[in-house]
């Protein structure tokens, strides 16, 4: 018997060990590769997903401890809010290498759901756990404001 969860509004069962990180369950068991592996220790934010609207590092959450509905970049992309954020990302040419961007967009989505008009300080605080190796932080901030 698998471990039940809700991912992007759909009931799923993870056929893995309860201590398997959510990141690997999403990628390897469900084939959802939008969530990226970065550091594996919850420090970079590349693997950010939302659980009940809160940004969490999926590399640090065992599937046996999921405590709410999971939303991934694939799920955000299907929403009006997600499309608005992605459109702002494209219009301001935020992406360089692109590796961190799924996690950045997930964190931005959680911020905008709580605060639709954040100031620079609120953006910086909300996004502080997401590292961009290309240092597009100024464009990320502007894209969040545009979205």
């Amino acid at each position: 018997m698998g471990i039940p969860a809700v991912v992007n509004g759909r009931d799923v069962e993870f056929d893995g060990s309860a201590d398997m990180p959510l990141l690997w369950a999403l990628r390897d068991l469900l084939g959802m590769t939008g969530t990226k592996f970065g550091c594996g220790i919850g420090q970079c934010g590349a693997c950010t997903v939302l659980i009940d609207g809160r940004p969490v590092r999926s590399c640090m959450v065992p599937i046996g401890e999921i405590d709410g509905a999971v939303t991934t970049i694939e799920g955000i992309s299907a929403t009006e809010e997600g499309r608005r954020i992605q459109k702002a990302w494209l219009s301001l040419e935020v992406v360089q290498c692109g590796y961190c961007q799924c996690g950045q967009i997930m964190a931005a989505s959680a911020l905008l759901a709580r605060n639709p008009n954040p100031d620079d300080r609120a953006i910086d605080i909300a996004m502080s756990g997401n590292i961009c190796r290309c240092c597009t932080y100024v464009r990320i901030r502007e894209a969040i404001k545009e979205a």
Side-chain angles (χ1 to χ4, degrees), residues 73 89 94-95 98-106 132 136 140:
I73 190 69
W89 244 246
V94 170
V95 179
Y99 201 79
C100 70
Q101 295 308 306
C102 293
Q104 299 281 0
I105 288 170
M106 296 306 294
C132 176
T136 63
I140 289 169

Side-chain angles (χ1 to χ4, degrees), residues 84-105:
R84 189 173 60 248
I85 293 168
Q86 289 173 331
K87 183 178 177 183
W89 244 246
L90 291 171
S91 78
L92 292 168
E93 299 179 350
V94 170
V95 179
Q96 283 189 19
C97 83
Y99 201 79
C100 70
Q101 295 308 306
C102 293
Q104 299 281 0
I105 288 170

Side-chain angles (χ1 to χ4, degrees), residues 1 3 9 18 21 34 45 51 53 57 62 64 66 69 71-73 85 88 91 97 102 114 127 130 137 143-145:
M1 186 165 136
I3 297 169
I51 296 181
R57 305 301 187 249
I66 296 171
T71 305
T72 68
I73 190 69
I85 293 168
S91 78
C97 83
C102 293
R114 288 188 322 270
M127 302 301 291
N130 290 73
Y137 300 112
I144 291 170
K145 289 178 182 178

Side-chain angles (χ1 to χ4, degrees), residues 15-92:
D15 292 324
S17 171
D19 64 350
M20 176 185 239
L22 176 58
L23 170 65
W24 298 120
L26 292 169
R27 293 180 62 80
D28 296 345
L29 302 180
L30 297 184
M32 301 175 78
T33 57
T35 304
K36 303 299 182 203
F37 173 77
C39 65
I41 58 172
Q43 297 296 306
C44 73
C47 69
T48 301
V49 299
L50 305 180
I51 296 181
D52 283 345
R54 293 171 295 134
V56 298
R57 305 301 187 249
S58 64
C59 70
M60 302 302 294
V61 178
I63 58 175
E65 295 179 19
I66 296 171
D67 64 349
V70 176
T71 305
T72 68
I73 190 69
E74 291 91 349
I76 284 292
S77 297
T79 67
E80 181 61 36
E81 174 185 295
R83 287 189 294 274
R84 189 173 60 248
I85 293 168
Q86 289 173 331
K87 183 178 177 183
W89 244 246
L90 291 171
S91 78
L92 292 168

